[in-house]
Amino acid sequence: MRYIKFEDIENAVRDLCLSAAYDLPDDVLNALQNSRSTETSDRGKMFLDQCIENAAIAATERLPICQDTGFAVYFVELGRDAQICGGTLYDAINSGTARGYQDGYLRKSIVNDPLFNRVNTGNNTPAVIHLELVLGDCLKITLAPKGGGSENMSRIKMLTPQAGIPGVINFVVNAVTEAGGNPCPPVIVGIGIGGTFEKVAYLAKKALLRKVGAPNPNPDYATLEEEILKKINSSQVGPQGLGGNSTALAVHIEYFPCHIASLPVAVNLNCHAARHASVTI
Amino acid sequence: MKPIKIHTPFDDAAVTALKAGQQVLLSGIVYTARDAAHKRLCNLIANGQSLPLDLNGAALYFVGPSPAKPGYVIGSAGPTTSYRMDAYSPILIEQTGLKAMIGKGDRSPEVQNAMQKHRCIYFAATGGAAALISKSIVKCEVLCYDDLGPEAIHRLEVKDLPLLVAIDCHGHNLYHPEKSN
């Protein structure tokens, strides 16, 4: 058994909040640069140039890439031979999040009640924490801060098996084109297929963590990703929804076995400021 | 096409002269407001009470900036998605003389009708270019609703803020070029 200190997690999470907010990952920046080189619309080129310049300013001056520094969403892999001492894992992550958002001058965007009492919690907690138990004695924490504008464009549908591949394609393409400029395209399209109602939403979110443009290892799904990407980019939604052929940087599908009666599908969009950062303790 | 320089406050003539697709550099005073502030302003109007700021000829920027680091005027300050303000904007346009809105994404037909009838303009700022945009903001102070945190109404002074006329007061909408009047 390996022991991991509460403070070590808290400190690592605090640092993760800052680097995720300031540093656009290389794969996202490369994808934006590739889009810039193939974009046909002058207006689209201008917007992509601004996004690339923005990423450079944010990294150099340690400023948030986007003012919406998001809901702090964590994907945590806890080794079964690791034990947290000094407090709970959830408390360590929330405490590190509060410190990170304070120390990093990041925006606090969480209200404590969705309906009756929308008062800002003041420290961007609670975080959303997805915990997975794995082999080994390490703790891997991935933070994917999620902005509200793109999250609001999410969709879920319990299709039935007869809808098949065309049903999935239509649902996804409509979700992206009807979202227009709202989620800050070019977007990354996270798609969940299969599982249950709650599982498919989780898969769609998890799909956004994949390296931009890395195909699904299953060739059937990899081909489907390509086909959907092509359809989305021929829609002419374009950067900022104002025309062009760079509507999505990538389409990522995650799938799971499902019930004989069901074909659940979920779409979770990430804006072009697709932020994520990981640490292993 | 070279951006044209414009400044706040706006009158009908200034709004009428702007056409969808024009790039502009905006200078002057703009006020920030998101959903929560819009709701409060519209509640005041519904109850016949006076507003904490004069919106006649003014520009509203739909933004909740991140906090300013030491030595900085403001944090990152890109636009939020505008459709969430669609229920409120026609009321402000009709009742207060609001002349300009800055945000991102398409607006409802009701907002566009109010814009046409009362001469109001909608600019798109580049969503997600928030650090870059902050360089055009030279002054920032909280005007009211401090309890809303990032959603408070701020008074910003901007210098050459790069914007695009997305919907003009003549019925042209860059999000739907095929449907424009």
Side-chain angles (χ1 to χ4, degrees):
Chain A
M1 184 63 70
R2 177 170 167 251
Y3 294 94
I4 299 175
K5 281 194 231 152
F6 183 94
E7 291 77 18
D8 290 346
I9 301 169
E10 195 187 11
N11 290 335
V13 166
R14 180 247 179 225
D15 293 347
L16 215 49
C17 292
L18 274 61
S19 57
Y22 303 154
D23 299 310
L24 192 67
D26 285 343
D27 56 330
V28 182
L29 190 58
N30 287 339
L32 280 172
Q33 281 160 343
N34 288 340
S35 273
R36 171 64 179 81
S37 65
T38 55
E39 177 55 58
T40 49
S41 137
D42 286 341
R43 198 178 288 142
K45 286 179 194 168
M46 176 186 81
F47 289 134
L48 291 166
D49 282 339
Q50 289 177 347
C51 296
I52 293 163
E53 187 188 352
N54 182 69
I57 293 172
T60 310
E61 297 193 33
R62 312 313 285 159
L63 292 172
I65 298 161
C66 179
Q67 80 289 337
D68 185 353
T69 46
F71 215 129
V73 180
Y74 293 92
F75 290 83
V76 180
E77 294 175 22
L78 177 63
R80 67 174 186 185
D81 298 325
Q83 191 175 322
I84 318 300
C85 51
T88 72
L89 178 61
Y90 293 98
D91 286 347
I93 291 175
N94 276 313
S95 174
T97 302
R99 274 181 49 206
Y101 275 70
Q102 192 60 39
D103 294 354
Y105 298 91
L106 310 184
R107 198 180 80 182
K108 290 81 181 172
S109 311
I110 307 304
V111 290
N112 66 350
D113 181 295
L115 203 51
F116 292 102
N117 189 23
R118 291 183 66 94
V119 175
N120 199 301
T121 62
N123 61 12
N124 218 57
T125 67
V128 168
I129 301 168
H130 301 291
L131 180 60
E132 202 178 323
L133 282 175
V134 298
L135 291 174
D137 62 1
C138 290
L139 172 66
K140 184 181 179 192
I141 303 174
T142 299
L143 165 61
K146 191 64 168 66
S150 60
E151 190 72 358
N152 279 354
M153 296 296 115
S154 308
R155 282 190 192 179
I156 191 164
K157 177 122 185 165
M158 304 305 281
L159 294 174
T160 51
Q162 58 78 26
I165 297 167
V168 169
I169 293 173
N170 278 343
F171 177 71
V172 175
V173 173
N174 286 343
V176 178
T177 54
E178 286 167 22
N182 293 340
C184 282
V187 291
I188 297 168
V189 184
I191 304 171
I193 304 176
T196 50
F197 178 73
E198 83 286 7
K199 177 78 175 180
V200 76
Y202 170 79
L203 291 174
K205 171 88 51 185
K206 203 172 180 191
L208 295 174
L209 296 181
R210 200 191 299 163
K211 189 170 179 243
V212 177
N216 191 297
N218 178 322
D220 288 338
Y221 285 93
T223 306
L224 185 58
E225 287 173 345
E226 268 179 49
E227 187 182 346
I228 293 174
L229 180 63
K230 212 169 161 185
K231 278 205 159 69
I232 288 170
N233 281 337
S234 62
S235 68
Q236 288 300 306
V237 168
Q240 299 290 320
L242 289 166
N245 57 335
S246 311
T247 305
L249 298 173
V251 170
H252 296 164
I253 299 174
E254 293 291 324
Y255 66 98
F256 197 79
C258 71
H259 193 278
I260 47 175
S262 305
L263 176 51
V265 55
V267 178
N268 195 211
L269 301 180
N270 212 125
C271 59
H272 61 76
R275 293 152 285 175
H276 47 89
S278 293
V279 65
T280 299
I281 303 171
Chain B
M1 194 167 50
K2 209 176 155 211
I4 53 170
K5 293 202 175 208
I6 57 171
H7 58 85
T8 62
F10 294 106
D11 57 19
D12 280 0
V15 169
T16 307
L18 291 166
K19 304 283 181 329
Q22 272 176 339
Q23 289 174 49
V24 302
L25 296 170
L26 176 68
S27 298
I29 303 301
V30 302
Y31 299 100
T32 73
R34 291 172 45 102
D35 323 39
H38 273 78
K39 190 176 177 185
R40 288 190 185 182
L41 294 176
C42 288
N43 279 343
L44 289 174
I45 291 171
N47 293 324
Q49 293 170 284
S50 60
L51 299 184
L53 73 168
D54 183 7
L55 289 177
N56 193 25
L60 275 185
Y61 182 16
F62 306 149
V63 57
S66 64
K69 289 204 312 188
Y72 281 74
V73 168
I74 195 170
S76 295
T80 195
T81 320
S82 304
Y83 77 90
R84 297 198 316 274
M85 269 49 78
D86 282 358
Y88 306 114
S89 292
I91 299 166
L92 296 183
I93 294 168
E94 285 158 18
Q95 307 277 331
T96 72
L98 175 71
K99 285 290 160 202
M101 299 171 286
I102 305 166
K104 69 173 167 89
D106 199 8
R107 309 303 306 270
S108 70
E110 291 76 16
V111 174
Q112 289 181 66
N113 288 341
M115 288 171 58
Q116 257 182 287
K117 195 169 164 198
H118 299 276
R119 302 286 169 219
C120 182
I121 195 90
Y122 174 59
F123 299 107
T126 304
L132 176 66
I133 288 171
S134 74
K135 300 296 173 192
S136 304
I137 299 169
V138 294
K139 209 171 160 188
C140 168
E141 60 190 23
V142 173
L143 187 76
C144 57
Y145 304 154
D146 204 7
D147 60 298
L148 293 178
E151 298 202 80
I153 294 184
H154 298 71
R155 181 181 185 274
L156 306 183
E157 189 179 332
V158 299
K159 173 94 177 95
D160 292 336
L161 178 66
L163 304 170
L164 180 72
V165 180
I167 307 176
D168 63 26
C169 71
H170 310 286
H172 298 110
N173 179 343
L174 285 192
Y175 296 98
H176 298 286
E178 75 286 358
K179 279 194 223 159
S180 291
N181 299 340

